[in-house]
Amino acid sequence: VKGNPVISKTNMRRFKAHFGADPIVLLTIWNDLHTTANLPANHDPADTNTRLSVKGLLQAMHFLYSYKTEIEREAIFDEPPKIFRKECWYHLERVQALKSEKIVFPDSFGDDIWVMSVDGTNCAINEPTHPTFSQDKTYFSHKHKRSGLTYELGIHLYESKLIWMKGPIPAGQNNDKGIFIEEGGLKDKLVAIGKRALGDKIYNGHPAQCSTFNAYDSAAVKMFKSRAQMRHEQFNGMLKEHAALDSRFRHGEAKFKVCFEAAAVVCQYRLENGEPLFDLLAGFDDVVDDDEDEESDGN
């Protein structure tokens, strides 16, 4: 029935189940692909619009979200693998290139001291080839018990924005704190602007740049830090909705970078178009009042 809201909602769910985002998000991405000046390094600027196609973008989003094999995708899109393979990677690289516009570290955070949450997220991959051994311990992920790659992500505390992304890094090369303190990394950036991140206990030892849980936190501060971590996990969950990141990636490290960063860009568009992260400060007035009452009783 035309205009039936139940049918409309069902169609929206069906669309998102295939492509990982609703039509408004993909339409916004489609429009931005035609106006952006940011192109992948290996793309000819003269071909900015000649190879973009709606079908190609949908194929790319379907691949990223469902991570089907070529035999499965051939049946869905009714095209030979040679054609949709080329179109898929072209459009994924174009979406990835939007990261320079969508994932931006702010010039200013105002007077706030705690400005972002930080955490590493790990994805399983096929075992890379090692020249001598059957396995490369540099890539070993303790989380997945197999080879993996890590990205360090930073989420703005007061806006629904991914503002920092570093990777991919072999999972066995460094833990989250090791990545954080690398020269030229996030710790140095926070030192330069005089701000702090919030992280879990693996970041202990650098309190001037990353605050973690401690025994001196008031109830309000404990709640604030806990909610910041849950909010960060909410974004990680959005990323892992893409099967290319949630299952064992089989296309190599270079293409993993394309897929991860394209998925991060799609998630940022989703945050801006009807799917924001939850409000970190919602309900905090009551907790702060309770803390003040306890201090008054103690006096």
Side-chain angles (χ1 to χ4, degrees):
V1 181
K2 187 175 181 181
N4 188 322
V6 176
I7 294 176
S8 177
K9 289 180 181 179
T10 300
N11 287 338
M12 291 285 276
R13 288 198 299 270
R14 288 170 178 162
F15 187 93
K16 190 171 181 179
H18 281 283
F19 305 113
D22 66 41
I24 298 299
V25 170
L26 295 193
L27 177 61
T28 307
I29 293 174
W30 172 254
N31 290 335
D32 288 351
L33 287 174
H34 282 81
T35 59
T36 183
N38 294 300
L39 299 177
N42 61 337
H43 288 215
D44 183 356
D47 292 336
T48 302
N49 297 313
T50 54
R51 290 179 56 194
L52 285 172
S53 70
V54 172
K55 188 173 184 179
L57 179 61
L58 292 176
Q59 287 175 342
M61 295 299 97
H62 179 267
F63 170 77
L64 191 63
Y65 191 69
S66 67
Y67 204 47
K68 301 289 188 183
T69 64
E70 287 189 345
I71 291 177
E72 293 171 307
R73 292 159 62 209
E74 184 178 8
I76 294 170
F77 291 103
D78 194 26
E79 280 187 351
K82 185 177 180 180
I83 294 177
F84 65 64
R85 184 188 309 138
K86 182 178 180 181
E87 289 298 302
C88 175
W89 289 109
Y90 173 80
H91 285 83
L92 282 174
E93 289 172 359
R94 290 294 303 270
V95 173
Q96 177 200 19
L98 292 173
K99 68 179 183 179
S100 58
E101 299 175 18
K102 307 306 293 184
I103 303 170
V104 180
F105 201 87
D107 293 328
S108 173
F109 291 95
D111 297 330
D112 294 313
I113 299 299
W114 289 334
V115 296
M116 64 189 295
S117 59
V118 60
D119 195 16
T121 187
N122 194 278
C123 300
I125 61 170
N126 274 351
E127 187 69 41
T129 302
H130 192 277
T132 306
F133 305 108
S134 61
Q135 294 179 315
D136 189 341
K137 66 179 183 180
T138 304
Y139 286 85
F140 182 74
S141 165
H142 290 278
K143 177 179 179 180
H144 296 290
K145 307 303 179 187
R146 61 172 305 113
S147 291
L149 290 167
T150 298
Y151 263 88
E152 180 183 59
L153 302 178
I155 308 292
H156 198 296
L157 286 181
Y158 311 109
E159 299 179 26
S160 287
K161 288 183 179 180
L162 175 65
I163 59 174
W164 175 265
M165 181 168 62
K166 180 180 179 180
I169 300 159
Q173 180 175 299
N174 233 335
N175 63 14
D176 289 353
K177 182 165 73 171
I179 297 169
F180 177 74
I181 65 176
E182 283 179 349
E183 184 176 355
L186 184 55
K187 178 186 175 182
D188 287 349
K189 197 168 189 69
L190 291 169
V191 169
I193 63 175
K195 302 295 185 182
R196 296 181 189 178
L198 291 176
D200 57 29
K201 289 187 176 181
I202 198 171
Y203 295 95
N204 282 347
H206 304 275
Q209 292 80 43
C210 189
S211 297
T212 60
F213 291 97
N214 66 75
Y216 299 100
D217 289 341
S218 65
V221 172
K222 286 179 182 177
M223 182 177 178
F224 184 83
K225 291 180 177 180
S226 177
R227 285 171 63 88
Q229 287 195 359
M230 288 189 291
R231 189 170 176 272
H232 198 111
E233 290 301 324
Q234 182 185 0
F235 183 83
N236 287 348
M238 291 178 70
L239 278 174
K240 295 299 181 71
E241 289 176 14
H242 297 87
L245 308 184
D246 194 42
S247 56
R248 179 164 50 87
F249 193 79
R250 57 182 185 270
H251 286 84
E253 187 170 343
K255 287 185 174 179
F256 174 82
K257 179 178 174 69
V258 173
C259 286
F260 189 98
E261 295 180 1
V265 168
V266 172
C267 287
Q268 183 58 50
Y269 274 95
R270 288 172 59 187
L271 296 181
E272 296 170 1
N273 291 274
E275 298 182 63
L277 300 175
F278 70 79
D279 184 357
L280 188 63
L281 299 178
F284 254 83
D285 290 341
D286 293 338
V287 179
V288 172
D289 290 342
D290 289 344
D291 269 1
E292 291 176 349
D293 290 341
E294 288 179 7
E295 289 178 4
S296 298
D297 292 342
N299 291 335

